[in-house]
Amino acid sequence: MSISQEDVEKVALLARLAIAPSDLPEVTERFGRVLQLVNELNTIDTEGVAPMSNPHDMVQRLRPDVVTGGDEREALMASAPQQDRGYFLVPKVID
Amino acid sequence: MTWETMMGLEVHLQLATESKIFSGSSTQFGAPPNVQADAVDLGMPGMLPVLNEEAVRFAVKFGLGIGARIGRRSIFDRKNYFYPDLPKGYQISQFFSPIVCEGVFEVPMEDGSLLPIRITRAHLEEDAGKSVHDIFNQESGIDLNRAGTPLLEIVTEPDFRSAEQAVAYLKALHSLVTYLGISDGNMAEGSMRCDINISLRRTGSDVLGTRTEIKNVNSFRFVERAIHSEVERQSDILDSGGSITQETRLYDAERDETRSMRSKEVANDYRYFPEPDLLPIEIDEAYIEAVRASLPELPAAKRARFVSEYELSDYDAALLVPDHATAAFFEEVVSLGGAAKPAANWILGDLSGALNRADLTIESSPVSAEALAGLIGRIEDGTLSSKLAKQVFDGLWQGEGATDEIIAKRGLKQVSDTGALAQLVDDVIAANPDQVAQYLAADEAKQKKLSGFFVGQIMKASQGQANPKLLNELLIKKLNDQS
Amino acid sequence: MVDSAVLHASVSELHGMLTQRQISSEELTQAFLERIDLLNGKLNAVVTVCAEQALNDARRADKRLSRGKATMLTGIPLLHKDIFCTQGIRTTCGSRMLEQFIPAYDATVVAKLKTAGVVMLGKCNMDEFAMGSSNETSFFGTVKNPWDTQCVPGGSSGGSAAALAAGMATLVTGTDTGGSIRQPASLCGITGLKPTYGRVSRLGIIAFASSLDQAGPMARSAADCAHMLTAMSGLDAGDSTSADLAVPDFFSELSGDVAGLRIGLPREYFNDDLDSSVRAQVMSALSQLEKAGAQLIDIDLPHSHYAIATYYVLAPAEASANLARYDGVRFGYRCADPADLEDLYLRSRSEGFGEEVQRRILVGTYALSAGFYDAYFNKAQQVRRVITDDFRKAFQSVDVIAGPSAPGIAFRFGAKQQDPIAMYMEDIYTLAVNLAGLPGLSAPAGLINGMPVGLQLIGKPFEESTILNAAHRLQLDTDWHLARPPIEEWQP
């Protein structure tokens, strides 16, 4: 299973990555090599095997419903690229 | 061409926990932007989610409330897409294994029937933040206070056939979740949001049509109108041989029509996969039984009990039960001695009217349950006529004092003294010989009508204080004696 | 002036010297700061030096020492891989995306080590977002291997390994998702341990692949690793994947006794693909353990060769989601003058991320996308379980599994840049250990042509003590771990 430049562009859009047209062939070729590597998974029979998300059989711990922490806005927004009046700013979005 | 409307509803319910589903930030409404968004909510590098136990309990409460199967082992998944109000670039939700599985919710309809709506699933997820577009000139502002608030997404099968059914469902859902204490279920405030999936199919066919999704309709009225306008739009298209585009639409209340949403996500592929930062939630029998034991009496059971215990009509019960504060008020009135039927009438009538006009909820009623019970008692013991009772009610509402005080102050005590009443009747009969003659000459049906004249005169003379029942008895007897 | 021997002293030795006031933590810290100043221009192992804070921490440590309230790690200088968030101190993750990022919080590991008394000297260079095996993908330039500055130090904890080997700190932290502690440890001749998944909290560590990442100690000996591991480990309520298990005093569990220890040698690791010189060194190390009473047993891990395919689906997939938060909105790199929202995303991410990171995001996004989830992601999760079961079965008859840490010695810069796969193969022996969540370490096993090579020891879940003890035994009987790169011979 190889991949086309068009497919790579679609995936890039989903991931919000811009690939320069001049880079597209090489990116596609290298991507294709990784795919070749992972295609080896096709050769193993995993019928009836449960997928594993986490290596141990642990179960989710629950946290009590208590408010912890207060207003950290100043500290946390200190690294904001653009902010005003307490809001993070982005170019205007039209819904 | 006749079309059958097929609809499914997806309701996003904000759960009324103190803190967020995956972080310890407060969920309180109305704070200045971003003061209730900690590092986890902001998706800062290295931050991790930890699950709020109350969100789990609320979800299980809901599941038990609709008799659904609870998922013994449910999993969180990442739903991946880019939007500025989604800080991590993914929403933690449940896709593969929700915490609440299939159930049936019986919706009480206005005609007293129960409409069974199949709930496909209900799952936990985190809310996104908010964007504001009208504060800044060139920019949109992002406020992440809401990001991470727990949501329960409740999905139905396409079992709805009319706007009426959809609205009845939403009202019943609101009632259930407020009874369970898991949410305010307030559409106007955004704690209950409704998306409607609508398609039309030829009557008699079993092939589903292409559906559209109408998002974020925020009142019962708008739900009804949005459905009507979308059904009309779709049937117009189909009737003229066109086809429906699968898309998301918004309801425009001003124009009373739906319009296509400028796609904020290009044909989105959410790439769901199990959330590796969270582990499966395991729920055992003991936990479920503990939650079940903590459930309050639910609306359906309360309706049935009101009918059997208080001998109320289905109609009255159906009106008293949906708001649990109202139901509680009713029971308090009865426990304090008020007769059930009058209590229902007063609550659903005068009290309800007054509360609506003053824009108050029953919890803030100036007329307490005790006061109402007292008022009803005075009617039952003959002190007060129902008509005059309304004046006393006004007095209670204005805070003029207790029932007896108002009766005394305003001089409203009902005249039930037969001697005094007889005198009043005699006086009026004597003063109106022509009407008496008319009465005696008329047939039974007309007599009933004509007696009203005399009653009116007597009431006027007694400033409304004549006991109507006794008055009537005496009047009829004395009139007949004239013949 | 301070004897340069302290730059390579062990924690125990330094603790003795500090408590006996033969040296102060301030003097020790100053010596390391000077060492960094001297060598970093050439090695590029450290991206941020925190001289002022370090000296303040050192003075505080000296006060504790003088009051007799010191613990083993009090006043010991340490460097953190720049993947650990450090409050008020730039944390770059080797990326332009976080070049200016200053966290408002400490990672749990940072806080714990601070409580244990370490003196943080600064932050180490690394492969960008921990993706790499040679420290060639860092935005801040390549790191040189102190043993041969024409060669890579390994990665992604390349800066950490190089800094430690060059005597820039007593201890360094690293993270390991597919081998990023063990492989650079092997290439730089130091000891590095990846704990069992869940042993150490991940809170505050910039995530690469959430179900595979683990933080771990890198030091000059198993004994020093043990000290660090005790301080780093433990349940963290803020990390749902953190294990609720008691933390032993790993150092006190080092008995040095390996009599009867059953060491499994997977046939799949010791096949014809294994370089003969590497095999020779690894076998030499194992025969030392055999002499000390361990038993070497041939075992099978039949699905080993699927580890790389499995890893290169799962890790990029998780990473593609973990890196979605880098969007130029709330922190990190933002492109200049974005025309609209889409432009903001596309350019901030394409300019902020390097080539390898972008490639892995693409692969990961693809593996999760509609139509491919079953064939790639779900399939890989199934194979993950098969691989884990291989280990479980093998551990029924052995206590430890051994093999090489890396397929070879440090390679030259650019040698593996032609084909991404060539680079991925560096982790061929380490990847499966992360998939199975097992503890694994690399200990020095001598030199090949003057370049270090490592022995990998893999343990059962939460049995770090067993592998640390075996490495400790090795280090009692050999002096490979004491070898130093020929830095003193450099011309300034």
Side-chain angles (χ1 to χ4, degrees):
Chain A
M1 222 195 294
S2 64
I3 192 164
S4 68
Q5 290 188 16
E6 208 177 59
D7 288 336
V8 171
E9 281 182 310
K10 281 197 200 129
V11 175
L13 179 59
L14 276 179
R16 296 303 188 275
L17 292 173
I19 306 176
S22 54
D23 292 335
L24 190 57
E26 192 184 341
V27 169
T28 304
E29 198 264 333
R30 288 178 162 227
F31 191 114
R33 286 204 226 166
V34 180
L35 275 195
Q36 249 183 317
L37 171 73
V38 304
N39 280 335
E40 179 158 21
L41 293 176
N42 293 332
T43 65
I44 176 175
D45 179 11
T46 52
E47 183 72 41
V49 177
M52 174 184 256
S53 287
N54 241 289
H56 309 306
D57 277 320
M58 284 173 15
V59 152
Q60 180 62 34
R61 281 188 293 268
L62 299 174
R63 190 192 99 228
D65 184 26
V66 167
V67 174
T68 55
D71 179 0
E72 298 170 67
R73 186 169 79 181
E74 206 185 314
L76 292 175
M77 290 189 79
S79 23
Q82 200 186 355
Q83 55 161 307
D84 192 6
R85 288 176 251 172
Y87 289 92
F88 293 100
L89 297 183
V90 296
K92 193 160 238 161
V93 180
I94 308 145
D95 245 331
Chain B
M1 200 60 60
T2 45
W3 301 104
E4 191 181 12
T5 307
M6 309 276 293
M7 290 185 292
L9 263 51
E10 280 167 23
V11 170
H12 288 86
L13 202 65
Q14 264 186 359
L15 298 179
T17 54
E18 296 291 324
S19 62
K20 295 186 179 178
I21 188 171
F22 297 121
S23 79
S25 299
S26 167
T27 54
Q28 283 248 335
F29 187 78
N34 291 306
V35 305
Q36 279 171 198
D38 71 7
V40 174
D41 303 326
L42 292 181
M44 303 293 281
M47 289 298 104
L48 298 171
V50 189
L51 182 58
N52 183 333
E53 68 180 5
E54 194 79 323
V56 175
R57 185 174 307 120
F58 282 5
V60 173
K61 269 189 166 176
F62 176 78
L64 293 176
I66 59 166
R69 181 169 67 84
I70 305 296
R72 294 295 193 269
R73 190 179 159 93
S74 65
I75 298 177
F76 284 102
D77 303 298
R78 292 188 182 177
K79 177 181 183 181
N80 300 279
Y81 65 95
F82 284 89
Y83 203 67
D85 66 9
L86 191 70
K88 295 187 291 295
Y90 56 86
Q91 176 197 31
I92 301 179
S93 177
Q94 294 185 298
F95 182 71
F96 297 103
S97 301
I99 187 166
V100 174
C101 307
E102 69 287 344
V104 177
F105 186 34
E106 298 208 308
V107 176
M109 301 298 294
E110 260 194 48
D111 64 4
S113 64
L114 289 174
L115 173 72
I117 295 294
R118 291 172 299 165
I119 305 290
T120 318
R121 50 186 277 153
H123 67 255
L124 286 168
E125 60 184 27
E126 55 178 350
D127 208 347
K130 277 203 178 117
S131 2
V132 295
H133 310 293
D134 51 6
I135 297 185
F136 305 98
N137 276 331
Q138 314 273 50
E139 294 94 7
S140 291
I142 310 296
D143 172 14
L144 295 169
N145 280 346
R146 199 183 66 175
T149 304
L151 294 178
L152 186 67
E153 180 177 338
I154 305 162
V155 182
T156 73
E157 295 289 325
D159 287 352
F160 296 96
R161 297 283 172 274
S162 70
E164 186 204 353
Q165 290 181 353
V167 173
Y169 168 78
L170 291 170
K171 288 183 174 171
L173 196 61
H174 168 85
S175 179
L176 176 65
V177 304
T178 52
Y179 264 69
L180 290 171
I182 64 175
S183 171
D184 296 333
N186 188 322
M187 287 188 82
E189 283 176 12
S191 55
M192 185 161 106
R193 297 170 228 156
C194 181
D195 298 337
I196 311 162
N197 292 299
I198 308 184
S199 68
L200 301 184
R201 73 176 178 195
R202 249 178 261 284
T203 311
S205 159
D206 54 13
V207 175
L208 287 176
T210 306
R211 63 172 181 172
T212 60
E213 183 185 14
I214 305 178
K215 282 193 95 62
N216 270 336
V217 194
N218 60 9
S219 76
F220 298 139
R221 211 167 105 254
F222 287 169
V223 164
E224 198 175 337
R225 284 163 56 178
I227 291 172
H228 283 138
S229 76
E230 178 62 11
V231 167
E232 195 180 309
R233 184 191 78 88
Q234 285 197 17
S235 58
D236 281 349
I237 291 174
L238 293 171
D239 278 339
S240 62
S243 60
I244 308 296
T245 314
Q246 182 170 345
E247 60 180 349
T248 304
R249 300 177 72 82
L250 285 177
Y251 176 66
D252 185 336
E254 270 167 61
R255 295 213 185 107
D256 191 22
E257 64 182 22
T258 63
R259 64 161 205 279
S260 186
M261 247 180 103
R262 209 173 296 196
S263 46
K264 74 179 186 186
E265 311 122 22
V266 176
N268 242 319
D269 177 1
Y270 293 122
R271 288 161 277 133
Y272 290 99
F273 71 99
E275 167 60 81
D277 288 332
L278 293 170
L279 299 167
I281 312 169
E282 288 216 340
I283 292 177
D284 60 17
E285 284 308 316
Y287 182 89
I288 291 179
E289 288 319 305
V291 175
R292 198 192 298 279
S294 77
L295 292 181
E297 182 185 38
L298 296 182
K302 201 183 283 286
R303 263 197 317 275
R305 185 169 64 81
F306 275 18
V307 168
S308 66
E309 191 175 322
Y310 301 113
E311 289 174 21
L312 290 178
S313 65
D314 284 328
Y315 182 76
D316 282 346
L319 287 172
L320 281 171
V321 162
D323 176 38
H324 67 107
T326 303
F329 189 95
F330 166 78
E331 289 207 90
E332 204 187 335
V333 170
V334 171
S335 75
L336 291 167
K341 179 67 185 165
N345 288 342
W346 277 99
I347 291 169
L348 295 173
D350 293 72
L351 180 59
S352 192
L355 288 169
N356 280 340
R357 280 188 298 277
D359 200 19
L360 291 172
T361 62
I362 204 165
E363 288 101 318
S364 330
S365 168
V367 178
S368 68
E370 199 181 330
L372 188 60
L375 177 62
I376 291 169
R378 283 290 175 251
I379 300 171
E380 295 296 293
D381 71 15
T383 312
L384 210 54
S385 69
S386 325
K387 208 164 173 190
L388 294 180
K390 284 188 195 287
Q391 290 189 39
V392 177
F393 179 85
D394 286 339
L396 289 171
W397 183 273
Q398 311 287 3
E400 286 172 20
T403 297
D404 285 345
E405 288 174 326
I406 298 170
I407 291 174
K409 230 193 295 185
R410 292 198 189 191
L412 298 174
K413 198 164 180 173
Q414 184 167 250
V415 177
S416 300
D417 170 1
T418 27
L421 277 177
Q423 186 60 57
L424 287 170
V425 174
D426 288 339
D427 290 345
V428 167
I429 285 176
N432 298 281
D434 296 330
Q435 281 80 356
V436 174
Q438 256 188 317
Y439 178 86
L440 293 172
D443 62 40
E444 211 180 307
K446 198 126 190 258
Q447 274 186 345
K448 269 210 170 94
K449 262 196 187 163
L450 291 171
S451 72
F453 167 75
F454 297 101
V455 171
Q457 294 297 309
I458 295 166
M459 281 300 183
K460 216 158 79 176
S462 69
Q463 280 130 356
Q465 281 167 262
N467 181 328
K469 191 153 160 277
L470 288 176
L471 166 61
N472 243 338
E473 282 171 16
L474 275 171
L475 176 67
I476 304 304
K477 184 165 170 297
K478 281 187 183 279
L479 281 171
N480 288 334
D481 283 348
Q482 300 298 314
S483 61
Chain C
M1 280 301 105
V2 169
D3 187 339
S4 68
V6 300
L7 299 174
H8 295 272
S10 71
V11 167
S12 298
E13 285 166 351
L14 287 174
H15 179 71
M17 291 167 72
L18 287 165
T19 47
Q20 285 154 45
R21 316 306 285 142
Q22 287 166 20
I23 187 174
S24 69
S25 176
E26 190 175 349
E27 287 168 322
L28 187 61
T29 299
Q30 187 61 44
F32 279 113
L33 287 170
E34 281 166 14
R35 180 78 165 175
I36 292 172
D37 201 40
L38 180 69
L39 297 179
N40 202 46
K42 189 152 189 164
L43 295 178
N44 197 31
V46 178
V47 271
T48 302
V49 180
C50 314
E52 199 181 310
Q53 175 165 324
L55 290 166
N56 284 334
D57 287 350
R59 283 175 209 125
R60 253 195 302 277
D62 282 329
K63 284 209 186 83
R64 292 187 75 81
L65 282 156
S66 68
R67 283 195 228 111
K69 287 183 170 208
T71 57
M72 283 308 292
L73 295 182
T74 306
I76 304 290
L78 166 147
L79 285 162
H80 279 298
K81 180 177 183 180
D82 209 11
I83 198 171
F84 293 88
C85 286
T86 41
Q87 185 174 22
I89 293 172
R90 181 175 80 146
T91 302
T92 68
C93 215
S95 181
R96 184 184 196 190
M97 185 60 84
L98 294 175
E99 189 183 3
Q100 317 283 4
F101 177 62
I102 300 180
Y105 43 86
D106 274 338
T108 298
V109 163
V110 170
K112 287 174 92 86
L113 284 167
K114 200 186 284 189
T115 304
V118 304
V119 172
M120 177 175 68
L121 298 166
K123 312 297 290 295
C124 288
N125 203 346
M126 54 180 282
D127 274 310
E128 188 183 2
F129 280 101
M131 299 182 194
S133 305
S134 63
N135 223 130
E136 290 177 287
T137 69
S138 172
F139 176 68
F140 300 92
T142 60
V143 174
K144 314 297 186 289
N145 190 323
W147 292 83
D148 179 347
T149 56
Q150 306 285 319
C151 292
V152 305
S156 61
S157 310
S160 300
L164 189 82
M168 290 184 183
T170 306
L171 304 170
V172 295
T173 53
T175 59
D176 188 313
T177 306
S180 292
I181 285 177
R182 292 160 287 154
Q183 183 254 9
S186 174
L187 268 50
C188 289
I190 59 164
T191 308
L193 171 90
K194 180 201 87 69
T196 312
Y197 184 83
R199 176 62 94 178
V200 175
S201 168
R202 292 185 299 115
L203 186 63
I205 300 175
I206 298 174
F208 162 15
S210 314
S211 74
L212 302 167
D213 292 343
Q214 261 300 272
M218 301 170 79
R220 276 184 254 289
S221 64
D224 283 0
C225 281
H227 286 304
M228 268 185 90
L229 185 63
T230 304
M232 291 170 78
S233 303
L235 171 69
D236 183 359
D239 173 5
S240 298
T241 61
S242 152
D244 188 1
L245 285 175
V247 181
D249 177 349
F250 288 105
F251 179 74
S252 68
E253 303 217 330
L254 298 176
S255 63
D257 181 7
V258 298
L261 184 73
R262 300 166 302 168
I263 303 178
L265 273 53
R267 291 191 184 87
E268 292 78 8
Y269 294 1
F270 291 89
N271 59 14
D272 293 333
D273 290 338
L274 179 57
D275 175 272
S276 52
S277 318
V278 174
R279 179 198 293 264
Q281 287 306 124
V282 168
M283 288 316 298
S284 171
L286 289 170
S287 65
Q288 285 292 327
L289 289 171
E290 210 176 12
K291 279 196 208 116
Q295 221 191 324
L296 302 181
I297 301 167
D298 284 332
I299 59 167
D300 287 293
L301 294 173
H303 301 94
S304 297
H305 60 286
Y306 288 110
I308 189 167
T310 306
Y311 178 87
Y312 277 101
V313 168
L314 296 179
E318 291 186 12
S320 71
N322 283 332
L323 269 58
R325 68 192 65 204
Y326 303 105
D327 55 10
V329 175
R330 297 164 314 291
F331 53 82
Y333 178 85
R334 177 185 279 211
C335 63
D337 306 314
D340 56 29
L341 185 67
E342 287 303 305
D343 188 38
L344 173 71
Y345 287 151
L346 289 169
R347 275 199 297 131
S348 298
R349 289 168 63 76
S350 304
E351 291 167 16
F353 291 136
E355 188 194 326
E356 183 60 34
V357 169
Q358 293 195 39
R359 175 164 35 253
R360 296 203 196 186
I361 291 175
L362 289 175
V363 171
T365 305
Y366 184 74
L368 292 171
S369 61
F372 297 107
Y373 180 88
D374 285 336
Y376 288 111
F377 189 82
N378 196 56
K379 182 78 178 182
Q381 288 207 321
Q382 288 177 304
V383 181
R384 182 177 187 174
R385 188 176 292 284
V386 171
I387 289 171
T388 304
D389 284 344
D390 275 1
F391 279 107
R392 202 172 289 144
K393 285 189 199 109
F395 276 124
Q396 283 167 0
S397 53
V398 299
D399 308 305
V400 168
I401 294 173
S405 303
I409 56 175
F411 48 90
R412 300 200 141 222
F413 288 106
K416 302 203 189 227
Q417 300 283 50
Q418 295 314 321
D419 181 3
I421 311 304
M423 188 66 79
Y424 298 166
M425 294 297 283
E426 267 298 289
D427 293 324
I428 199 84
Y429 300 111
T430 49
L431 298 168
V433 180
N434 300 77
L435 292 171
L438 301 170
L441 66 73
S442 178
L447 304 174
I448 296 171
N449 300 333
M451 296 300 288
V453 67
L455 166 74
Q456 183 178 211
L457 298 174
I458 304 164
K460 294 182 193 172
F462 302 103
E463 290 193 14
E464 288 84 2
S465 291
T466 308
I467 53 176
L468 281 169
N469 191 45
H472 180 62
R473 177 79 247 164
L474 187 66
Q475 291 172 355
L476 289 171
D477 296 338
T478 67
D479 57 8
W480 292 322
H481 63 295
L482 298 173
R484 293 186 214 167
I487 290 179
E488 315 329 314
E489 291 150 27
W490 294 353
Q491 302 309 310

